[in-house]
Amino acid sequence: MRRFKFNLESVLTVRQKALNDARIQLASIMNIYNRQKDVLDEMNFELIQIQKESERYLSEGDFNPEMISNFNSFSHKLMQDIKTQERIMSETEKDLKNAQESARLAYINVKSLENLKQKKKEEYDREFLLDEIKQIDDIVNSRRQAV
């Protein structure tokens, strides 16, 4: 009997390659998103530090309007940078969700073909077993007839 051959093996290979590419793309976007989140966390930390330093400077009693203005300007700039970073992250998050959906669909396509291949393999194995049983029966029957 012939060996098992899945007719859609080339399609399965192409879909597996597409799944791998989608996963790589997803990992790349996730890496970018994580780096952006780290930058945002660092900005927030720096803003908190500036605010603490400003409060400490005010509590010391030396009142220098120029220094207060510098703290205020820097914290305002930092808050604007944080807002910009949050907008960038929201765009990246949209890209991340699109990449997740793309990877999910690619996985479904691969899994459906793998399931079909498994069913065809099981069907082949059953046919092979039935053919083997038939051949054994033919051998047994031919020996009986020969005796």
Side-chain angles (χ1 to χ4, degrees):
M1 189 171 186
R2 68 193 185 336
R3 286 184 34 197
F4 174 73
K5 182 176 184 323
F6 185 56
N7 294 337
L8 299 174
E9 191 67 42
S10 60
V11 175
L12 178 60
T13 303
V14 169
R15 286 188 180 178
Q16 286 172 333
K17 173 76 170 102
L19 174 61
N20 193 33
D21 291 346
R23 285 180 174 167
I24 290 171
Q25 180 70 21
L26 176 62
S28 173
I29 293 173
M30 201 174 270
N31 189 21
I32 290 169
Y33 181 78
N34 288 335
R35 278 187 275 149
Q36 289 174 349
K37 184 160 176 35
D38 290 342
V39 168
L40 180 65
D41 290 343
E42 189 176 311
M43 286 178 174
N44 282 324
F45 179 75
E46 194 170 335
L47 180 63
I48 290 169
Q49 294 295 42
I50 291 296
Q51 288 172 344
K52 285 180 182 178
E53 191 174 328
S54 172
E55 289 172 6
R56 184 183 55 80
Y57 183 76
L58 283 174
S59 67
E60 284 181 354
D62 286 339
F63 185 75
N64 184 351
E66 188 177 311
M67 192 65 128
I68 301 297
S69 175
N70 287 344
F71 278 126
N72 188 33
S73 296
F74 187 69
S75 63
H76 180 71
K77 181 193 177 310
L78 205 52
M79 284 190 278
Q80 293 302 316
D81 290 347
I82 287 171
K83 288 178 184 175
T84 302
Q85 186 68 20
E86 287 172 344
R87 284 193 297 271
I88 291 170
M89 284 182 65
S90 71
E91 290 298 318
T92 304
E93 193 170 354
K94 289 176 188 174
D95 293 342
L96 183 63
K97 288 182 182 186
N98 289 338
Q100 285 173 335
E101 183 64 19
S102 175
R104 187 183 70 81
L105 292 175
Y107 177 77
I108 289 171
N109 287 337
V110 168
K111 196 64 178 169
S112 64
L113 269 182
E114 285 177 345
N115 289 341
L116 179 62
K117 181 179 180 178
Q118 182 65 29
K119 286 179 185 176
K120 294 288 184 184
K121 176 73 170 135
E122 289 170 1
E123 184 180 309
Y124 169 81
D125 289 343
R126 278 194 303 273
E127 288 177 10
F128 185 78
L129 185 61
L130 289 174
D131 190 45
E132 198 174 80
I133 290 171
K134 184 179 175 185
Q135 287 178 3
I136 291 172
D137 284 346
D138 287 346
I139 292 171
V140 169
N141 286 337
S142 68
R143 285 188 181 205
R144 284 185 187 165
Q145 290 174 357
V147 174

